[in-house]
């Protein structure tokens, strides 16, 4: 299987003024594409040929000899979910009932979720990601962070939504103001419907 760049689920300018068309032209069309190209270059002979992206991420993570391939596959998976984690007119407290109930039960409600999620994004030193994921062992939602190309998927959990806190994700629009980017992501961009769908599927 050759991995391909997924189309954005909205127009390049659909998230303006919160995220610009220019950001997507660089981040989606250049950064994400580069990870896919490198993964496709490394995968022949790896034993992972023909696997789905999710299975390849988990298999590469379990083999230290495939660390470089894992980084590329993880970045492909993470970016693909990042695009789906946002939508025009997203964010805020209008959350599907199944997900709202879990956030209330496991995280103490929306305000607590927001505080914890932004804190995870702010305390991820250097490049990385902050997540809302389902812990498949406990059955509870958790907020976590990963560095570089790592992902909760590789650790047996189910990612529901993710925010990219690599500088290239926000620098064009927010310069070095990561806190402002994270606040806008939660208040204006989160695609709660997609996160709820992933929770139901899990």
């Amino acid at each position: 299987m050759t991995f391909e760049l997924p189309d954005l689920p909205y127009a390049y300018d659909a998230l303006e003024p919160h995220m610009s068309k220019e950001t997507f032209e660089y981040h989606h069309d250049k950064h994400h594409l580069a990870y896919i190209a490198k993964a496709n270059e490394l995968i022949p002979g790896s034993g992972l040929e023909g696997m789905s992206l999710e299975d390849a991420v988990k298999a590469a993570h379990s083999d230290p000899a495939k660390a470089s391939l894992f980084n590329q596959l993880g970045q492909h998976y993470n970016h693909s979910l990042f695009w789906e984690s946002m939508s025009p007119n997203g964010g805020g407290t209008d959350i599907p009932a199944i997900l709202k109930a879990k956030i209330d039960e496991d995280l103490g409600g929306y305000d607590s979720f927001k505080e914890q999620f932004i804190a995870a994004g702010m305390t991820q030193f250097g490049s990385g990601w902050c997540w809302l994921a389902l812990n498949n062992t406990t059955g509870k939602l958790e907020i976590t962070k990963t560095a570089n190309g790592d992902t909760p998927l590789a650790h047996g959990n189910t990612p529901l939504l993710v925010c990219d806190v690599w500088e290239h994700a926000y620098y064009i629009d927010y310069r070095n103001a990561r806190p402002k980017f994270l606040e806008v992501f939660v208040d204006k961009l989160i695609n709660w419907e997609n996160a709820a769908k992933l929770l139901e599927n899990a």
Side-chain angles (χ1 to χ4, degrees):
M1 173 186 293
T2 299
F3 295 111
E4 297 180 351
L5 182 68
D7 292 334
L8 288 173
Y10 32 73
Y12 281 74
D13 61 356
L15 303 188
E16 291 183 345
H18 311 302
M19 290 183 72
S20 65
K21 179 181 178 183
E22 183 183 8
T23 285
F24 285 109
E25 288 170 344
Y26 276 93
H27 195 179
H28 176 269
D29 294 4
K30 293 181 168 50
H31 287 283
H32 189 175
L33 183 62
Y35 295 122
I36 294 169
K38 189 64 176 178
N40 287 332
E41 178 186 315
L42 293 174
I43 213 159
S46 67
L48 309 186
E49 301 90 340
M51 287 187 178
S52 70
L53 176 58
E54 290 80 2
D55 288 343
V57 166
K58 290 183 274 192
H61 181 261
S62 67
D63 183 352
K66 295 184 173 66
S68 180
L69 176 56
F70 170 72
N71 285 336
Q72 308 305 320
L73 292 170
Q75 288 290 66
H76 178 23
Y77 173 84
N78 293 356
H79 279 91
S80 297
L81 181 58
F82 179 50
W83 313 135
E84 294 177 353
S85 293
M86 300 181 288
S87 70
N89 306 310
T93 59
D94 187 14
I95 304 171
I98 182 176
L99 180 56
K100 183 181 185 302
K102 283 291 283 178
I103 289 173
D104 290 346
E105 178 183 350
D106 298 343
L107 300 175
Y110 173 82
D111 290 342
S112 178
F113 157 80
K114 178 178 176 178
E115 181 180 345
Q116 293 177 60
F117 191 83
I118 290 175
M122 284 302 302
T123 56
Q124 172 51 43
F125 182 76
S127 301
W129 308 80
C130 57
W131 304 83
L132 176 66
L134 178 69
N135 184 311
N136 292 328
T137 301
T138 65
K140 294 186 178 298
L141 297 182
E142 59 184 26
I143 292 166
T144 187
K145 57 190 176 181
T146 60
N148 301 319
D150 201 3
T151 169
L153 180 73
H155 303 276
N157 297 321
T158 301
L160 303 181
L161 68 87
V162 62
C163 184
D164 188 344
V165 294
W166 286 63
E167 278 195 343
H168 64 238
Y170 58 86
Y171 207 83
I172 289 173
D173 298 321
Y174 295 90
R175 294 299 184 252
N176 63 337
R178 187 191 287 189
K180 180 62 175 174
F181 168 63
L182 284 160
E183 188 173 340
V184 169
F185 180 85
V186 174
D187 288 343
K188 303 293 186 181
L189 294 175
I190 287 179
N191 185 341
W192 290 118
E193 283 70 24
N194 190 69
K197 180 186 72 176
L198 294 174
L199 177 63
E200 288 186 276
N201 291 345

